[in-house]
Amino acid sequence: MTDKKSFRKSQLIAFDNVAAGHDGVLSDPAGEIVVKPCKQSEIDFYESTTAHPSIVPHIPTFIGRLSLGPDLATAQAAGTLILPGETAAESQPAGPGIAGAAVIENQWTPTNGGKIQTDLAIVLENVAKGYIKPNILDVKLGARLWADDAPEAKRKKLDKVAEETTSKPSGFRIAGMKTYQGKGMVGKGDVQADGYRVYDKMYGRAFTAETVAEGFREYFLLVKESKVEGPIRKVIKRFLSDLREVEEAIGKEESRMYSASLLFVYEGDSEALQKAFGDEKAVLAALEDASPPEEGTDSDGSTDDEPNFPAIQNLKLIDFAHAAWTPGQGPDHNILHGIDNVAKILSQIVG
């Protein structure tokens, strides 16, 4: 069980490492956590993963839930993470869409990436923590993007998006990404003041099944048709291994994860990436040289001091607002198809 924690509203800041998705994501100043507005269904899914241990390594660590609702006693009783009240000037009333509000099917309207109307949030580990300049890619999975309870208007809208993008033929599409171009590129083209180039959802929608590999090459900062060498080749091969592990884990479960995503993160500062590989090698060498455990110690030789591996690359499944376990229905081939096609593209890139 996760220990209870407390954050004041004034301690949370806007999270700027979002490649796609809805507005309103927050973080703590240290960048250890992500506070994501969500619906109860996503909290329920994360809490249910304790019964599905094969999935847990492939999703962000679930820390808890957070309530911004006005009923402090109810929130505490539910075991939520509470945001203590600020002064009257800082406090804000709960917005529309709080728990218990009626949902009428014919009133569904798309958020278009805007803030979700909810007083709930999920608290997760920040997958991008530890990186100097994280390069982030969000890949939306599935040819079908809506769950069984989706209203007809939403089904039609998402089906149209799938038909017009790589979602339908390939089972995935690039939903957004940001890549570090370097301070020397600031002011050139659309590179921002922090040295990043940001690609919104329309970037990925322009690709076809035949051209989408170009988007992945752009993410890895590869010149078209250039040979992939050095640290970035190692990064891509690690992502390939990660993808096959995710694929295996999903294949063993009976679930449906509509509109879930793959979140790719790797170190975008070339010097930091090179150093990280060297540091990792030193850590592994130190572990090999470590003395075997003495008699009476744990058989696995574990100690309180875990090895401190540098941040190189990470891959996680995210976005479970429309995910559920479905006993008797078999694996989720809707997203497995997309994962397999992403892996095939990365295999083609490294050759």
Side-chain angles (χ1 to χ4, degrees), residues 24-26 34-38 42 120-124 318-320:
V25 180
L26 303 171
V34 170
V35 178
K36 173 192 168 186
C38 69
E42 186 156 17
L120 292 175
I122 192 166
V123 184
L124 305 169
I318 62 168
D319 295 343
F320 303 114

Side-chain angles (χ1 to χ4, degrees), residues 190-205:
D190 52 0
V191 178
Q192 300 178 347
D194 59 0
Y196 273 94
R197 176 174 285 135
V198 178
Y199 306 76
D200 65 13
K201 65 182 180 181
M202 302 312 296
Y203 172 79
R205 292 188 184 190

Side-chain angles (χ1 to χ4, degrees), residues 255-296:
S255 63
R256 296 295 181 269
M257 300 180 182
Y258 297 110
S259 229
S261 288
L262 288 169
L263 184 69
F264 293 76
V265 184
Y266 76 92
E267 179 56 68
D269 183 294
S270 58
E271 292 183 2
L273 180 61
Q274 185 72 50
K275 182 179 183 299
F277 274 112
D279 291 346
E280 180 186 66
K281 187 175 181 180
V283 171
L284 292 173
L287 291 175
E288 288 184 5
D289 293 341
S291 301
E294 299 178 3
E295 289 187 26

Side-chain angles (χ1 to χ4, degrees), residues 19 127 136-139 261-265 314-318:
V127 179
I136 301 173
L137 167 66
D138 185 311
V139 176
S261 288
L262 288 169
L263 184 69
F264 293 76
V265 184
N314 204 349
L315 174 69
K316 297 291 184 183
L317 270 171
I318 62 168

Side-chain angles (χ1 to χ4, degrees), residues 172 212-214 216-217 220 222 225-229 232-245 247 264 338-351:
F172 76 87
V212 70
E214 296 173 14
F216 287 91
R217 294 188 69 91
F220 293 114
L222 298 171
E225 305 302 328
S226 64
K227 187 176 181 180
V228 185
E229 298 178 317
I232 203 64
R233 181 180 179 85
K234 296 179 184 178
V235 167
I236 298 173
K237 294 188 78 170
R238 290 191 183 196
F239 276 136
L240 264 171
S241 178
D242 293 340
L243 282 167
R244 293 310 183 191
E245 289 180 7
E247 188 175 36
F264 293 76
I339 294 171
D340 183 57
N341 279 331
V342 172
K344 287 177 179 177
I345 288 175
L346 297 194
S347 295
Q348 292 169 2
I349 289 175
V350 294

